[in-house]
Amino acid sequence: MWFKDTFILEISDGRALIGVPNRFNKKWLEDKYRPEILETLKKFLKIELKGLEFVVANRSSLRPRTDDQSIIPNADYQSKNDHNLSQDYTFETFIVGKNNRLAYAAAGAIAESPGSVYNPLYLYGGVGLGKTHLLHAIGQDIAKRKPGLKIIYASAESFTNEFVKALSTKKMEGFKNRYRNIDVFLVDDIQFIAGKEGTQEEFFHTFNTLHQKKRQIVLSSDRMPNKIPETAQRLTSRFGWGMVADLQPPDFETRAAILERKAEKFKIELPRSVTELIAERITSNIRDLEGALNRLISYHLMTKEPIDQKMAEENLEDFFIANESQRPGPEGVISVVSDYYQVGKDDLFGPKRTKEIVLPRQVLMYLLRNELSVSFSKIARLLGGKDHTTVIHGCQKIERESRRDRTLKKDLSLLKALLYQEGQSI
Ligand code: ADP
Ligand code: MG
């Protein structure tokens, strides 16, 4: 509540001027939240900020064009309702392209008749490709159609934390009642339970109870069920019982459409050249697309400078560089492939020629060549001194096979998504 009617008035010389509704609020924010606000702004606007100043001011006279759509996220997250669902993430605001059509259709089908079409629905894809958005959209849509149903959205992380807390405070009964008596269970980033045996056990029982009662379960993950490491097979096999649908990075047209739709939301007309600039340079992650656009809009609102190509280039330069530098190095590719196929580096680099090892090894060659443009002879050296004709052969084989083998094709897209995600966290 302290952030309501709080907004950025101006940013100049590395200092942000924050408008607040009254003196009381001003004092409170100054005393308690200064560092947090500074951090949020730096992160959100991605600019260098040295300081903050609060002034009492009225927003309505200053920002008539943005309605009440504050582009600075409210710290108390007002857009959440009783279901803990974000109102911004709906089917209406989800742009459908070739990359996500199947996932979108499946999500729509279960929202229409929860518990009876695909159970569970398992959505997977790289970071920032809309998994969380779809989970919320399903929840919102069901809540609208059937207001009586009990819906829980939970990240696997919060499920884990709650479980651990319930254990330590001896409140397991309450925990079980909470999760086993609902109609719709939306679980985000299920891969988080990898290696956590107690949580897996509890989740297994929750899953079974809900599934037997024909309650809808939706799971999201960054990889296919059978590729989640250190997770009991009885669990991962259940993940594949209903429908498994993937989200791929969007193509250029979809990226452009997403940008246009977001700009429209802020009642801002984006010149085509700007849309194209952003859509061409930011390719692997929708969250980053939004981030770039938010930056331009914030800057435009604060400076009143029109959004055009020059302004976009100036403001987004470091953003584009950052996006490119997310490209991982050879080490990153090696560890992603090794992790994905669960094949150790010794085997990848060694002489073994069994199918389980040759495929990952050739995929590794292919990714090094195609994603990082490493020379054939360098790949041969990286892989423990193989012959470079072996590398050429391997790359060609994957290239050829991926055209007709759908599983391999999917593996490759997912590996690419994981690569860029990996790069981000470094
Ligand atoms: P994930 O959970 O897969 O990492 P999110 O669902 O958090 O990704 O999506 C990241 C951001 O991109 C969100 O703000 C979301 O609204 C937006 N987004 C993702 N996919 C789409 C889409 N198809 N259309 C519109 N916005 C999208
Ligand atoms: Mg997510």
Side-chain angles (χ1 to χ4, degrees), residues 257-403:
I258 289 172
L259 287 167
E260 273 161 16
R261 177 75 76 82
K262 304 264 170 193
E264 222 170 80
K265 195 176 115 191
F266 292 114
K267 302 200 172 37
I268 280 176
E269 211 168 315
L270 216 52
R272 186 68 196 171
S273 60
V274 173
T275 313
E276 285 178 2
L277 176 74
I278 307 176
E280 267 162 22
R281 302 288 293 272
I282 301 178
T283 55
S284 57
N285 180 330
I286 299 173
R287 189 173 298 142
D288 283 358
L289 268 185
E290 287 186 336
L293 182 62
N294 280 341
R295 164 94 72 91
L296 294 188
I297 295 178
S298 310
Y299 190 75
H300 165 71
L301 291 171
M302 287 182 287
T303 62
K304 304 282 177 286
E305 201 181 303
I307 300 181
D308 56 23
Q309 189 164 352
K310 182 167 156 291
M311 185 268 221
E313 274 166 0
E314 282 168 7
N315 271 280
L316 298 178
E317 198 184 350
D318 58 321
F319 216 103
F320 293 152
I321 294 169
N323 230 264
E324 274 153 24
S325 66
Q326 280 174 20
R327 216 163 267 274
E331 280 308 317
V333 183
I334 294 167
S335 70
V336 164
V337 171
S338 155
D339 191 38
Y340 187 82
Y341 287 106
Q342 302 278 298
V343 173
K345 287 179 193 164
D346 291 352
D347 279 337
L348 280 176
F349 299 167
K352 275 192 214 157
R353 300 204 42 83
T354 52
K355 196 163 147 267
E356 291 72 30
I357 293 167
V358 171
L359 177 74
R361 188 185 289 145
Q362 290 177 332
V363 165
L364 173 60
M365 294 171 179
Y366 173 86
L367 289 173
L368 286 169
R369 176 72 192 166
N370 285 269
E371 293 301 302
L372 264 56
S373 311
V374 182
S375 70
F376 290 125
S377 48
K378 180 146 184 232
I379 296 175
R381 275 201 306 280
L382 275 171
L383 266 70
K386 302 222 159 18
D387 193 284
H388 79 276
T389 52
T390 313
V391 179
I392 297 174
H393 168 76
C395 291
Q396 284 173 343
K397 173 134 178 285
I398 297 298
E399 172 92 54
R400 208 170 45 236
E401 299 270 299
S402 66
R403 266 183 256 132

